[in-house]
Amino acid sequence: MTRGVPRKLGRYEVAEVIGTGAFATVYRARDDRLDADVAIKVLAENHSFDADLRERFISEGHLLRRVDSPHVVKVFDLGETEAGQPFLVLDLAGGGDLAARRRRLGGAAPRLDELLTVARQVAVALGALHAEQVVHRDVTPGNLLVRGTAAVPPSATLLAPGERLMLADLGLSKDLAATSGLTVGAGTAGFTPPEQGVGGWVDARADIWSASALLVWLALGETPATHDAWQEPVRRLGWPDPVIRELERSLSAQADQRHPTAAAWIEALEAANAPPPAPTGPAAAAGPVDAAPRRPRRRGLAALAAAAVLLAGLAGGWWLGRSTADDDPYGRTSVEQLSGGRARATTTAGSSSVAFTGPRSATVGQTATFTAALEGVETATWLAPDGKSFPSGTALELRPTSEGTATVRLLGQTADGDVLVAVLRVEVRAAS
């Protein structure tokens, strides 16, 4: 056994040191009861009797126990050494971290599809944390561990087939269920959004900023904070302009300009990277008649605005318990029941459709999320129950304040100027 490495930690046989930091040391160890290798994170001895740091370390274990996701490190046990140092027994990630994987590529930049694979897994991890009202506050390549393959992948990729990322280290996380969103300045330089760096108010959108900075860093080896003209280099790597625009949005200095959720963030990035649909029908065979982009018809824009005004008048107050007639002026909505108490509302006209999914019931004080899916629609707008309208983007988040029936609408305008409206009524119940 190497000098300085304990032989045992509790009932666990220690094999080696696999990571060190200012606050903790991580060991590879053997759990004979489970017949498995684990990672044990031990708070440094000089910090173990600092009440604040000790409490934060133990809270990390409790937070990890609350989160159930294959992309967030699991905690199996919490113990204490003979010297009084608390330790966490964690999932072992044998593939190192994302920072090491990026360094292994040298000067080569990962392909955009590889980065979106990373983004998907990060979004799932963040979604699981945010569902528990936890803001990570330190989404960095060093805190994204690789699980699945102990050996270095044969090809120069960030992740080999069968590997997955696990978000780790909640030492700086913010539990919004227990405290306010007000934060002190914390986090890793370059991966910290403006409001967090100055000790402002944080929520899930702080992590979305950090995750976006992570993608830029993986591509360029620099964060947007250190390379404020990052757009042109990634454009030269072949990134489409719509993807760059979505990242610019999520890297906005204003939190309310960013994507509202991790799910909305990844859906927007993937939609921006999707190739345009291939033309079909006789016109496709003959080739385009006019290569210039088709301008939206003015009557269509006017119709969409008129529809929004009309339906806003029908919407009534904010979650006041009043429902409108079953039909809207522009067509009947088909509502399909989905699993998990959700539904899909769809209105179709020819090859165009406006649809969205959301819950059939909601609870007072809790957020309800609605996600749009559009086909053959040039412009779309959400209409909330209080009559306020929002750009369709990909998701609408609402928080009801009273019981009753609330109506959510999604309006879409086709290239021909037709307006489609999908409608879903949500029953709002009191919190139990």
Side-chain angles (χ1 to χ4, degrees):
M1 181 65 62
T2 304
R3 185 178 179 181
V5 177
R7 187 178 66 83
K8 293 191 72 172
L9 288 169
R11 63 183 175 87
Y12 304 96
E13 297 283 346
V14 176
E16 60 179 334
V17 176
I18 57 176
T20 58
F23 294 96
T25 300
V26 182
Y27 301 93
R28 180 193 298 270
R30 184 70 182 174
D31 185 347
D32 289 332
R33 291 185 191 175
L34 295 178
D35 190 27
D37 288 336
V38 295
I40 301 183
K41 181 178 180 180
V42 184
L43 184 62
E45 188 172 8
N46 59 317
H47 295 308
S48 294
F49 300 101
D50 181 310
D52 181 61
L53 291 175
R54 186 183 183 91
E55 176 64 25
R56 189 189 303 172
F57 185 87
I58 294 172
S59 294
E60 178 183 359
H62 293 161
L63 290 177
L64 285 170
R65 288 293 296 172
R66 277 167 45 187
V67 180
D68 183 18
S69 170
H71 295 292
V72 177
V73 167
K74 285 182 170 56
V75 60
F76 302 122
D77 195 5
L78 189 153
E80 188 173 293
T81 69
E82 294 179 356
Q85 298 165 258
F87 64 79
L88 303 175
V89 181
L90 307 164
D91 239 345
L92 178 66
D97 60 38
L98 204 55
R101 289 295 177 90
R102 179 62 179 85
R103 287 194 296 270
R104 188 169 54 82
L105 296 181
R111 301 188 312 274
L112 180 56
D113 62 320
E114 288 186 84
L115 297 182
L116 291 180
T117 297
V118 167
R120 259 179 245 118
Q121 298 188 33
V122 172
V124 172
L126 292 178
L129 286 178
H130 298 162
E132 295 294 335
Q133 300 187 60
V134 175
V135 183
H136 190 279
R137 295 202 307 165
D138 202 24
V139 181
T140 66
N143 285 335
L144 284 159
L145 309 182
V146 182
R147 173 70 186 271
T149 304
V152 176
S155 57
T157 59
L158 290 173
L159 293 174
E163 291 186 325
R164 74 174 189 270
L165 291 174
M166 298 191 303
L167 184 59
D169 198 347
L170 271 66
L172 292 179
S173 63
K174 188 77 170 176
D175 186 357
L176 300 182
T179 61
S180 75
L182 190 63
T183 184
V184 297
T188 302
F191 296 94
T192 302
E195 69 273 19
Q196 184 177 317
V198 299
W201 192 275
V202 300
D203 58 19
R205 296 169 296 186
D207 286 344
I208 291 167
W209 193 100
S210 300
S212 302
L214 170 77
L215 295 186
V216 174
W217 182 88
L218 288 171
L220 303 179
E222 296 183 78
T223 67
T226 55
H227 196 315
D228 56 6
W230 58 270
Q231 294 91 336
E232 190 54 38
V234 298
R235 188 175 285 113
R236 289 197 296 269
L237 292 175
W239 288 25
D241 282 341
V243 171
I244 295 173
R245 285 195 295 270
E246 294 297 342
L247 275 182
E248 287 176 332
R249 174 185 172 186
S250 54
L251 288 166
S252 170
Q254 303 299 319
D256 60 2
Q257 299 297 314
R258 301 173 201 152
H259 301 88
T261 64
W265 174 72
I266 186 58
E267 288 173 8
L269 287 175
E270 291 186 321
N273 191 50
T280 59
V289 175
D290 183 359
R294 187 172 185 178
R295 299 175 61 85
R297 298 186 181 184
R298 289 184 176 273
R299 70 177 182 87
L301 293 171
L304 186 64
V309 171
L310 170 63
L311 293 175
L314 294 174
W318 174 242
W319 303 97
L320 292 181
R322 301 177 185 147
S323 60
T324 61
D326 287 341
D327 294 333
D328 62 69
Y330 297 93
R332 183 180 297 274
T333 299
S334 170
V335 178
E336 176 189 2
Q337 302 298 326
L338 305 176
S339 61
R342 296 178 68 79
R344 179 183 176 90
T346 307
T347 296
T348 303
S351 60
S352 300
S353 67
V354 170
F356 67 94
T357 58
R360 288 312 306 259
S361 63
T363 302
V364 172
Q366 296 185 8
T367 300
T369 302
F370 304 85
T371 304
L374 307 171
E375 294 284 345
V377 173
E378 292 195 345
T379 305
T381 300
W382 288 107
L383 192 64
D386 62 351
K388 293 180 180 178
S389 60
F390 303 91
S392 64
T394 55
L396 173 71
E397 289 191 335
L398 301 173
R399 180 172 293 182
T401 58
S402 61
E403 299 175 66
T405 302
T407 304
V408 179
R409 296 177 176 85
L410 181 62
L411 293 71
Q413 168 211 312
T414 70
D416 293 329
D418 295 326
V419 174
L420 306 179
V421 184
V423 181
L424 185 65
R425 289 175 178 78
V426 181
E427 295 302 318
V428 182
R429 305 180 181 127
S432 57

